């Protein structure tokens, strides 16, 4: 069952050291209150994080939390994403038993043989979601925005040349334009990707001209003039036949300044840690989840030769 609740720094691990490391090297902390959520009155027996009064040791504000540990309730659990735009692929979503064993149901996404980003039907799925009401916090610089999930590629998965995986997004208006080679001057997105043989990366759209040398060092030759930048490609490799925990945390920058944050980990091992990010040049915020799964790439050599399945559980957004 999905829940929403205030983050409690006394009982929950902070999303990382992001707000201890300002560009100046100081240990300045942002304001430390947390927002009330729709279930702030939940009992402590259901959730130890129900008391927001002990949040004074927070490193940054985590405003609210939505969690979907499994999909035993099928569409009722899916509805907890609070989808704001359902772009494609409802027919490729299913709720099935955990492929690694157990009785809980997980979310299965299917990409049929021959489908890829530019085919008539790309397969997979795509939607935008705002499970914790980010719009009310739109441009809160003192907030952390963390999206995490478990992902499973089955044995024999065809990695081909790669594909897109869920991340976060934000921007002026809907913010949905930050993909497909469009200039990221007023938006950003942070989708994960897999590449050949399961190499992992974070695929980032953000204003390229504004980024620091620290950022550029994480993508190196994969900082490109067109499309997104591939951050730390191959630093982690997805392994077929086992669950991997993927986590990313964003801290917004002061508009136009290199003081934003990005941290990414796989199975609790940090792969990316940047404290000079430029997410925005004007005052916009994090809109929510960009949940996209597809192969591609824009050419047919990205497409799988047989139907492929990818599985998700333990989805959390805060």
């Amino acid at each position: 069952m999905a829940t929403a609740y205030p983050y409690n720094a006394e009982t929950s691990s902070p999303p990382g050291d992001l707000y201890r490391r300002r560009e100046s090297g100081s240990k300045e902390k942002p304001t430390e209150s947390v927002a009330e959520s729709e279930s702030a009155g939940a009992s402590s027996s259901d959730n130890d994080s129900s008391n927001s009064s002990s949040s004074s040791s927070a490193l940054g504000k985590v405003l609210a939390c939505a969690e979907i540990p499994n999909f035993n309730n099928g569409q009722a659990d899916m509805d907890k994403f609070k989808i704001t735009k359902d772009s494609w692929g409802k027919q490729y979503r299913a709720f099935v038993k955990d492929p690694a064993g157990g009785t809980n149901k997980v979310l299965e996404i299917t990409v049929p043989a021959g489908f890829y980003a530019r085919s008539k039907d790309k397969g997979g799925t795509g939607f935008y979601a705002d499970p914790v009401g980010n719009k009310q916090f739109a441009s809160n610089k003192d907030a952390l925005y963390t999206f995490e999930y478990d992902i499973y590629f089955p044995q024999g998965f065809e990695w081909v040349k790669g594909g897109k995986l869920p991340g976060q997004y934000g921007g002026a208006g809907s913010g949905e334009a930050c993909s497909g080679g469009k200039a990221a001057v007023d938006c950003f997105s942070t989708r994960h990707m897999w590449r050949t043989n399961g190499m992992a990366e974070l695929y980032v759209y953000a204003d390229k001209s504004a980024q620091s040398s620290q950022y550029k060092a994480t993508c190196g030759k994969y900082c490109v003039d067109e499309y997104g930048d591939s951050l730390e490609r191959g630093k982690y490799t997805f392994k077929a036949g086992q669950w991997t925990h993927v986590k990313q945390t964003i801290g917004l920058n002061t508009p136009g300044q290199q003081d934003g944050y990005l941290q990414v980990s796989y199975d609790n091992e940090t792969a990316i840690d940047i404290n000079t990010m430029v997410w925005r040049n004007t005052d916009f915020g994090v809109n929510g989840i960009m949940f996209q799964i597809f192969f591609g790439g824009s050419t047919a050599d990205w497409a799988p030769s047989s139907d492929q399945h990818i599985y998700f559980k333990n989805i959390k957004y805060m």
Side-chain angles (χ1 to χ4, degrees):
M1 187 79 174
T3 58
Y5 48 85
Y7 175 80
N8 184 323
E10 296 296 327
T11 59
S12 304
S13 297
D17 293 337
L18 300 178
Y19 279 82
R20 283 201 291 250
R21 293 189 309 280
R22 299 275 176 176
E23 193 169 7
S24 64
S26 71
K27 295 188 178 182
E28 173 191 358
K29 290 189 293 185
T31 53
E32 295 157 353
S33 61
V34 293
E36 294 296 326
S37 77
E38 59 187 88
S39 61
S43 69
S44 58
S45 61
D46 293 330
N47 182 358
D48 290 337
S49 299
S50 60
N51 179 8
S52 62
S53 63
S54 59
S55 62
S56 60
S57 64
L59 299 177
K61 284 192 293 186
V62 177
L63 299 169
C65 181
E67 188 171 7
I68 310 175
N70 57 58
F71 290 83
N72 292 339
N73 296 312
Q75 187 59 44
D77 285 321
M78 191 75 194
D79 290 343
K80 298 299 182 179
F81 276 109
K82 298 183 180 177
I83 293 173
T84 56
K85 181 179 179 181
D86 207 341
S87 302
W88 81 87
K90 287 184 181 179
Q91 70 272 36
Y92 301 124
R93 303 170 197 160
F95 313 110
V96 302
K97 286 188 176 179
D98 189 328
T103 58
N104 284 332
K105 289 186 176 181
V106 299
L107 176 62
E108 177 190 68
I109 305 298
T110 297
V111 180
F115 288 24
Y116 66 100
R118 295 291 176 87
S119 55
K120 185 175 181 180
D121 181 342
K122 68 180 68 176
T125 203
F127 60 82
Y128 296 89
D130 186 14
V132 298
N134 266 357
K135 290 182 180 178
Q136 65 182 302
F137 311 125
S139 59
N140 192 329
K141 183 184 180 297
D142 291 338
L144 295 171
Y145 300 85
T146 295
F147 181 37
E148 56 189 301
Y149 51 84
D150 290 349
I151 186 169
Y152 183 94
F153 299 93
Q155 290 285 358
F157 185 82
E158 290 186 43
W159 304 107
V160 198
K161 295 176 69 174
K164 305 300 190 299
L165 295 169
Q168 300 184 71
Y169 79 106
S174 68
E176 295 168 10
C178 235
S179 62
K182 298 176 182 177
V185 294
D186 60 354
C187 60
F188 67 84
S189 64
T190 59
R191 290 172 294 175
H192 293 273
M193 280 193 72
W194 79 87
R195 294 279 185 170
T196 304
N197 298 321
M199 289 189 299
E201 68 176 56
L202 191 71
Y203 190 66
V204 172
Y205 274 81
D207 185 357
K208 299 175 186 296
S209 65
Q211 301 306 326
S212 68
S213 58
Q214 183 190 30
Y215 171 91
K216 293 174 183 176
T218 68
C219 52
K221 67 179 181 180
Y222 301 115
C223 291
V224 297
D225 293 332
E226 190 178 7
Y227 300 104
D229 291 330
S230 299
L231 273 58
E232 295 293 5
R233 181 185 298 184
K235 192 166 185 177
Y236 178 86
T237 300
F238 291 113
K239 300 172 182 64
Q242 69 180 56
W243 286 99
T244 299
H245 186 68
V246 176
K247 182 177 181 179
Q248 61 170 255
T249 297
I250 288 174
L252 290 171
N253 63 296
T254 305
Q257 296 186 29
Q258 294 178 342
D259 62 358
Y261 300 87
L262 172 62
Q263 189 174 81
V264 173
S265 66
Y266 302 93
D267 285 338
N268 300 314
E269 293 292 330
T270 299
I272 299 169
D273 196 354
I274 301 172
N275 62 358
T276 56
M277 280 297 305
V278 177
W279 298 113
R280 57 186 184 163
N281 294 307
T282 58
D283 192 15
F284 60 76
V286 179
N287 292 18
I289 294 171
M290 187 176 184
F291 202 98
Q292 295 185 347
I293 299 98
F294 59 90
F295 282 74
S298 60
T299 55
D301 56 347
W302 290 75
S305 63
S306 61
D307 292 358
Q308 299 297 304
H309 308 281
I310 303 174
Y311 302 88
F312 296 87
K313 67 178 182 179
N314 292 328
I315 298 167
K316 183 184 290 187
Y317 189 63
M318 61 183 180

